[in-house]
Amino acid sequence: MTIKHFLQFKDLTREEIEYLFLRARIIKERFKRYETYHPLADRTLVMIFEKASTRTRLSFEAGMHQLGGAAIYLNTRDSQLGRGEPVEDAGQVISRMCDLVMIRTFEQEIVERFAANSRVPVINGLTNEYHPCQILADIFTFIEHRGPITGKTVAWIGDSNNVCNTWLQAAELLDFNVHVSTPPGYEVEPERAGLFGTDHFEQFSDPMEACRGAHLVTTDVWTSMGFEAENDERRKAFADWCVDAEMMSVAAPDALFMHCLPAHRGEEVTAEVMDGPQSVVWDEAENRLHAQKALMEYLLLGRLAS
Ligand code: CP
Ligand code: NVA
């Protein structure tokens, strides 16, 4: 069997992503009914973190336990990874001792080099360029609340970062539109985003215009992990890119608000929107668990009949 990795959103086909949404729903329903479901008994997930995490670590670790397997946490500080062992060697060794690997790191190239040397599937748990597991959960959340996302418009306000790039890839795959508004100098770079074209997104200099008529408004921190040196400069540049009630008022009347979290109220989003009635951020965070359980099950067992 060829190994399937999930290093960026477009590594899976539209059909596979839609299958994952179906499985996530089934797995979530079973979990809510407290049904034991252990398809990954005796399987081991290794989680490698080179950046901080709450949600990603917790959802992968809890998810693997709930599916009957075990999860092992490694970080750069107290493994040989932080002491210069080549990523290719780490890929060879780690993948001989487990069934699945999740990595959160800096450049996308690192997960690609690891995966090229891995005997087991590798999942991107966030890189500078992409955050595919987040968007899997976000779209699953949208579907739960509003039905299919095909043909809908998502407004992305703020930095054209890893989460934004992944929304753009998902838009191409699942056929919806993204309106992106960034400050000057922070625009989307289609090549870095790994896009096939520019048909599924439009850039707006005015965030209000990007939000107009959108079915979902979403944002993220102004400064992503690894870019802390740019913090002061970014705070000035992004000051007008705060999702507020006025932006939500020009979106579709039933528009949702999402944020991958952690959020900074008063920076990229006001407390009023973050904690308001259109916000589904807690469902979104919870769905990391269910969506990733579906992903791990699929990467290890393939398609299941029930
Ligand atoms: N959204 C997200 O990936 O959160 P963590 O950084 O806490 O994992
Ligand atoms: N764009 C953010 C997402 C954190 C989950 C970062 O990379 O830090």
Side-chain angles (χ1 to χ4, degrees), residues 106-167:
F106 293 90
E107 290 78 27
Q108 180 69 12
E109 191 214 339
I110 299 173
V111 290
E112 283 168 5
R113 283 164 52 205
F114 189 103
N117 288 277
S118 175
R119 291 187 169 191
V120 302
V122 178
I123 297 171
N124 178 350
L126 180 146
T127 56
N128 291 349
E129 287 83 357
Y130 307 118
H131 197 0
C133 296
Q134 182 68 54
I135 303 310
L136 202 58
D138 290 6
I139 298 176
F140 177 62
T141 308
F142 184 89
I143 295 168
E144 279 190 325
H145 284 270
R146 296 284 182 265
I149 199 165
T150 300
K152 297 286 198 288
T153 298
V154 174
W156 176 270
I157 307 303
D159 191 17
S160 62
N161 62 14
N162 42 11
V163 180
C164 173
N165 287 342
T166 311
W167 269 112

Side-chain angles (χ1 to χ4, degrees), residues 51 104 126 131 161-163 220-221 223-225 260-262:
K51 290 176 177 170
R104 167 168 287 196
L126 180 146
H131 197 0
N161 62 14
N162 42 11
V163 180
D220 187 12
V221 291
T223 305
S224 286
M225 292 181 281
C260 65
L261 308 179

Side-chain angles (χ1 to χ4, degrees), residues 27 31 37-40 43 45 47 49 54-73 102 285-286 288-290 292-294 296:
I27 288 169
F31 178 71
Y37 180 54
H38 285 171
L40 302 186
R43 306 291 180 112
L45 165 72
M47 307 181 296
F49 283 91
T54 297
R55 281 143 287 268
T56 304
R57 176 176 178 184
L58 189 56
S59 52
F60 271 106
E61 190 162 340
M64 196 59 181
H65 282 293
Q66 291 161 14
L67 292 173
I72 296 172
Y73 172 77
M102 186 242 76
E286 178 190 328
R288 293 289 303 279
L289 175 71
H290 311 300
Q292 289 161 196
K293 283 166 80 176
M296 292 192 286

